Amino acid sequence: MSVNQQRFDAVCARAREAMILHSTADTLEWDERTGLPIAAGEYRAQQVSTLRALVHQRRTDPVYGEDLLSLVQECGDEDPHGPIAATIRELHRDWQRDCKLPTQLVERMSRATVRGQQTWDAARKADDFSMFEKTLEHVIDLKREAGERLSEGTDRSVYEALLDEYEPDARVEDIQQVFDNLREPLVQLIAAAKDAPKQPDISILERTYCMENQRDFSHFVAEQTGFDFDRGRLDETSHPFCTTLGPNDCRILTRYDPHWLPAGLFGTMHEAGHGMYEQGLRPDWFGLPPGSYVSLGIHESQSRLWENQVGRSRPFWEWLYPQALEAFATQLEGVSLDSFYFAINTVRPSLIRVEADEATYNLHIIIRFDLERQLIDGTLSVKDLPEAWNSRYQSDLGICPSSDADGVLQDVHWSAGLIGYFPTYTLGNVAAAQLFDAASDQIGDLNELFAEGEFRLLLDWLRERIHFDGRCYSGADLIQRATGKPLCSTHFVNYLKSKLEPLYGITGS
Ligand code: ZN
């Protein structure tokens, strides 16, 4: 039996039409986050939610679903990882998922999370968790209900069904394994860095860095590493992100801080890494699974790889530092490459996730992963969350937030209903290190290339091994195929140790 071409074309046309609506809503959101007049917010919210509802309608249309079902039955002879079979399989999967959630529940979640984010914002400003408690309870209840419906008839737990939206097919057990192997070596490394004989001078990075020069410099770095400015642009916002508005239109956004050089510079490299992944997807399959990113963990592996494995490496700065000295002549006067390199690789436990270094960052994630599972399975009540949060920070990082704003209220995710999202950040860190090692093995000495400002070979390798396939393989399959083994934490731990131990003068453990 072979795939009915007319039916396949009709399904693709329907999916592309939904993507046109979806990307139009994304365009409006990009505009909202780059410079919407404050009074225009309410109408903009109506515009976006109207478009999102139309997308949901298109994607749950019964005729579309029937066509997909027929195509699933017809595509037995297709190569399962070819674009046709992948399109059918993944669109069917999306359709099943969308249909499991009644429109009424989707609407209730949408209202609860809009309200959730507003309440969270107010509670964080007032530094008062009690203002947020009831709203969060409501969001968690709705997410639990959604997770129960999504897990029905599958062998997934309620939490796994929620996680599946961001990291398809991921299992809690596997993530737990990766995190368990990560935790102890990280705790030891962080403690060793704290008591180490050598310490960085981070004040170098806190001098006043002119915003205009930061903009030019970040643009230069993004362009040199491979972000295509003919098919994308770089703008500013308060919470950096990357969004793709069309097959040749990728927007990255960053935030410059005049007294903290890494915010804008590494923020740009991070978002450019996301952007290069999006630009490496096949434009002719835009709006369909072969032209879509596979998972948030893989997405994050691309941003982290460029931000950290490349951007925080010494060879990279051997190439870039002379240019940094020109761009920031007064700020970096008399600062050696070694001092600068040490400063950008500081490890220091701190309370805020988004400001955390490469090593401690993952402890922040592990805490959230543990707590959100307890919230969903009901073993932790929202009222007890601040206390649970603080005690985990004390035991895991050795520091305790003195306020909810610096503790349990710091992240928007839970208020926005993003449960199962946090673990993808650390999965990305772990995958980045593993991919980077595989690329080094296969390409040759990347350090030599970086020292000459040459990044093309690395980008081409990522394009071929990760970007090109879109959703034709699962994220786990892509890692296996690119690196020859499943995701494991060893590469990341070794990467951190081999960089940080010499910097801090720690004798290897
Ligand atoms: Zn990211």
Side-chain angles (χ1 to χ4, degrees):
M1 210 170 171
S2 65
V3 166
N4 177 320
Q5 190 64 42
Q6 217 178 346
R7 203 180 345 255
F8 182 74
D9 291 344
V11 157
C12 290
R14 182 48 76 101
R16 287 188 198 269
E17 190 193 36
M19 183 49 107
I20 288 174
L21 292 167
H22 182 73
S23 56
T24 306
D26 287 344
T27 308
L28 292 173
E29 284 190 335
W30 174 86
D31 175 71
E32 182 178 351
R33 292 172 67 172
T34 46
L36 192 74
I38 193 146
E42 201 176 314
Y43 187 70
R44 177 55 47 89
Q46 283 177 35
Q47 290 176 306
V48 170
S49 65
T50 303
L51 285 165
R52 300 271 183 232
L54 288 173
V55 172
H56 188 73
Q57 252 176 36
R58 295 284 191 291
R59 287 182 177 165
T60 52
D61 180 283
V63 177
Y64 171 70
E66 277 163 31
D67 279 347
L68 274 171
L69 209 55
S70 304
L71 288 168
V72 167
Q73 286 155 2
E74 290 165 7
C75 86
D77 293 339
E78 292 288 334
D79 167 10
H81 302 294
I84 294 180
T87 298
I88 295 169
R89 179 185 65 239
E90 297 298 313
L91 287 181
H92 181 248
R93 173 200 190 104
D94 296 345
W95 180 78
Q96 277 183 313
R97 188 182 171 89
D98 288 340
C99 290
K100 276 186 172 177
L101 299 180
T103 312
Q104 206 208 6
L105 178 61
V106 173
E107 281 168 10
R108 281 165 67 209
M109 282 201 295
S110 163
R111 277 198 303 273
T113 52
V114 168
R115 179 94 192 97
Q117 290 171 73
Q118 290 163 353
T119 316
W120 163 78
D121 196 40
R124 192 175 57 127
K125 284 187 181 123
D127 187 18
D128 181 359
F129 182 78
S130 69
M131 286 166 61
F132 179 52
E133 191 183 310
K134 284 280 166 283
T135 316
L136 182 60
E137 256 169 28
H138 185 49
V139 172
I140 298 286
D141 287 346
L142 290 173
K143 289 304 283 190
R144 192 183 300 114
E145 186 185 338
E148 280 163 359
R149 286 176 183 273
L150 291 168
S151 65
E152 235 169 57
T154 73
D155 60 350
R156 319 226 141 222
S157 68
V158 173
Y159 179 79
E160 271 173 340
L162 297 173
L163 174 69
D164 194 73
E165 187 175 347
Y166 313 112
E167 202 61 32
D169 297 328
R171 292 293 191 167
V172 164
E173 200 188 338
D174 298 333
I175 296 179
Q176 187 78 64
Q177 179 81 58
V178 171
F179 286 9
D180 282 350
N181 292 336
L182 206 55
R183 190 190 168 102
E184 208 33 54
L186 286 183
V187 168
Q188 281 175 17
L189 189 59
I190 293 161
K194 191 166 165 253
D195 301 328
K198 293 200 268 176
Q199 292 295 330
D201 173 12
I202 60 162
S203 73
I204 298 165
L205 306 171
E206 293 169 335
R207 296 172 181 165
T208 307
Y209 286 84
C210 153
M211 300 286 266
E212 206 45 52
N213 290 3
Q214 284 202 53
R215 271 184 206 112
D216 291 346
F217 195 69
S218 291
H219 189 284
F220 170 77
V221 171
E223 193 164 42
Q224 292 296 309
T225 47
F227 183 78
D228 182 354
F229 279 92
D230 289 337
R231 300 176 60 220
R233 52 182 279 172
L234 168 62
D235 294 276
E236 287 167 51
T237 188
S238 52
H239 297 281
F241 67 107
C242 165
T243 183
T244 294
L245 308 180
N248 295 300
D249 189 358
C250 176
R251 308 295 175 96
I252 54 175
L253 297 105
T254 194
R255 181 180 65 88
Y256 301 106
D257 179 341
H259 300 289
W260 186 239
L261 182 67
L265 179 58
F266 292 113
T268 303
M269 288 195 78
H270 180 97
E271 298 309 328
H274 281 304
M276 285 187 266
Y277 178 25
E278 294 281 327
Q279 290 181 333
L281 296 165
R282 282 178 277 184
D284 50 333
W285 285 95
F286 182 77
L288 295 171
S292 309
Y293 72 86
V294 65
S295 77
L296 290 187
I298 293 291
H299 226 308
E300 193 69 4
S301 75
Q302 302 305 292
S303 57
R304 296 293 181 169
L305 188 144
W306 289 100
E307 176 192 356
N308 294 329
Q309 271 76 19
V310 178
R312 285 188 164 86
S313 74
R314 198 169 190 293
F316 177 78
W317 284 98
E318 281 166 22
W319 163 68
L320 189 59
Y321 200 60
Q323 295 168 84
L325 287 176
E326 265 178 45
F328 307 110
T330 37
Q331 295 86 347
L332 294 176
E333 200 189 341
V335 176
S336 70
L337 169 58
D338 282 332
S339 308
F340 183 82
Y341 172 59
F342 196 4
I344 58 168
N345 282 294
T346 301
V347 165
R348 192 179 47 167
S350 63
L351 292 169
I352 308 292
R353 176 186 62 87
V354 294
E355 293 166 9
D357 59 78
E358 279 182 273
T360 53
Y361 188 92
N362 305 287
L363 300 181
H364 293 269
I365 295 303
I366 293 171
I367 293 174
R368 287 155 179 76
F369 174 61
D370 291 344
L371 295 178
E372 68 182 12
R373 277 181 302 148
Q374 293 172 17
L375 289 172
I376 290 297
D377 72 22
T379 51
L380 175 66
S381 67
V382 169
K383 138 177 95 50
D384 298 329
L385 180 61
E387 203 187 312
W389 179 285
N390 292 349
S391 86
R392 280 298 296 271
Y393 267 78
Q394 190 62 59
S395 65
D396 293 26
L397 283 108
I399 46 179
C400 188
S402 57
S403 72
D404 289 340
D406 285 344
V408 68
L409 287 176
Q410 66 182 267
D411 290 314
V412 68
H413 299 60
W414 290 338
S415 76
L418 302 175
I419 312 271
Y421 192 110
F422 280 122
T424 67
Y425 290 122
T426 286
L427 293 177
N429 286 335
V430 171
Q434 190 168 331
L435 286 170
F436 191 80
D437 282 353
S440 310
D441 287 346
Q442 291 170 36
I443 299 171
D445 193 349
L446 290 173
N447 287 340
E448 236 169 69
L449 296 173
F450 294 170
E452 284 161 19
E454 165 55 52
F455 308 102
R456 190 71 226 177
L457 288 175
L458 175 61
L459 182 57
D460 285 346
W461 188 90
L462 293 168
R463 289 253 192 274
E464 197 182 312
R465 303 295 199 292
I466 302 292
H467 306 180
F468 181 81
D469 283 311
R471 290 170 71 187
C472 291
Y473 291 87
S474 71
D477 283 350
L478 285 179
I479 295 292
Q480 174 79 45
R481 286 167 58 83
T483 70
K485 59 179 185 179
L487 186 69
C488 80
S489 54
T490 323
H491 295 271
F492 183 62
V493 171
N494 290 343
Y495 154 73
L496 284 178
K497 285 177 125 182
S498 64
K499 178 161 72 169
L500 296 172
E501 285 176 352
L503 271 176
Y504 277 90
I506 305 166
T507 24
S509 46

